[in-house]
C-alpha cells in the first residue's frame, strides 16, 4: 500500500466533488443562452467527473498493487528528473504573466509578459531540445546518413 498516493487521490476526489457540486447547474434547462447551447458549467462538471474517476482508479491501484523495495525518489537522478519538469513549468508560468508589481504611483516591470503563444512556443522548444533530445537525435541521424554514403 502507498498511503501518500491514496491520500493524494482522496484529496483530488474531494476537489472533483466540490467542482461537480459547484457546476451542477449544467443540468438546468436554461444552461445556455442559445438553443442547443450547453452553457459554461457543462465542461467543468464533466472534467471534474473524469478527474474524480481517474483518482479513484489511482487510489485502487495504490491499494492493491504491491509496493517495490526501493522508494520512488532514490538518489539524485530521480530528483533531477522531477526538476527537469518542474523548473521549466515554473519558468513558463512566469513568462506568461511576467514579473511586475504596482505601487500607488508606478507600475514596476521586471520581466514583461510574453503572452500565451510566445511562452508556449519557447516552452515546447525547450521541451523538445532538453527533455526530448530532438536536436541531438536529428543531428546524429544526419551524421549517420553522411557516413553511410
Amino acid at each position: 500500500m502507498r498511503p501518500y498516493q491514496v491520500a493524494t487521490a482522496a484529496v483530488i476526489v474531494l476537489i472533483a466533488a466540490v467542482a461537480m457540486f459547484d457546476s451542477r447547474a449544467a443540468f438546468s434547462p436554461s444552461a445556455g443562452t442559445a438553443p442547443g447551447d450547453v452553457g459554461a458549467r457543462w465542461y467543468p462538471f464533466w472534467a471534474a467527473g473524469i478527474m474524480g474517476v481517474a483518482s479513484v482508479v489511482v487510489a485502487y491501484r495504490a491499494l492493491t498493487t504491491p509496493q517495490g523495495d526501493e522508494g520512488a525518489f532514490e538518489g539524485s537522478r530521480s530528483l533531477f528528473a522531477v526538476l527537469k519538469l518542474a523548473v521549466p513549468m515554473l519558468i513558463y508560468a512566469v513568462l506568461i504573466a511576467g514579473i511586475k508589481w504596482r505601487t500607488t504611483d508606478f507600475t514596476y516591470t521586471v520581466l514583461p509578459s510574453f503572452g500565451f503563444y510566445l511562452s508556449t512556443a519557447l516552452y515546447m522548444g525547450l521541451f523538445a531540445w532538453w527533455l526530448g533530445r530532438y536536436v541531438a537525435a536529428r543531428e546524429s541521424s544526419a551524421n549517420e546518413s553522411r557516413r553511410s554514403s
Side-chain angles (χ1 to χ4, degrees):
M1 183 173 99
R2 299 175 180 109
Y4 297 113
Q5 288 181 355
V6 174
T8 302
V11 168
I12 292 173
V13 166
L14 180 67
I15 292 169
V18 169
M20 290 175 73
F21 180 78
D22 186 50
S23 60
R24 69 190 181 282
F27 298 106
S28 72
S30 61
T33 57
D37 188 8
V38 294
R41 294 177 183 245
W42 187 86
Y43 174 77
F45 180 86
W46 290 108
I50 291 169
M51 184 174 74
V53 169
S55 296
V56 168
V57 170
V58 166
Y60 174 75
R61 290 201 51 182
L63 285 170
T64 58
T65 306
Q67 187 173 1
D69 291 337
E70 61 183 49
F73 295 103
E74 291 291 325
S76 61
R77 289 189 66 199
S78 55
L79 177 64
F80 187 66
V82 171
L83 289 176
K84 279 172 65 173
L85 291 174
V87 170
M89 282 192 289
L90 178 66
I91 293 170
Y92 174 64
V94 168
L95 286 177
I96 288 176
I99 300 175
K100 53 187 144 195
W101 69 90
R102 186 178 297 177
T103 64
T104 55
D105 298 328
F106 298 104
T107 298
Y108 298 97
T109 302
V110 177
L111 180 70
S113 171
F114 277 40
F116 178 75
Y117 294 112
L118 183 58
S119 298
T120 301
L122 289 171
Y123 179 75
M124 290 176 69
L126 174 72
F127 188 84
W129 173 71
W130 188 34
L131 296 177
R133 309 263 192 264
Y134 176 73
V135 175
R138 206 171 79 191
E139 287 175 2
S140 66
S141 66
N143 289 338
E144 287 180 23
S145 65
R146 282 187 214 141
R147 287 183 201 149
S148 63
S149 304

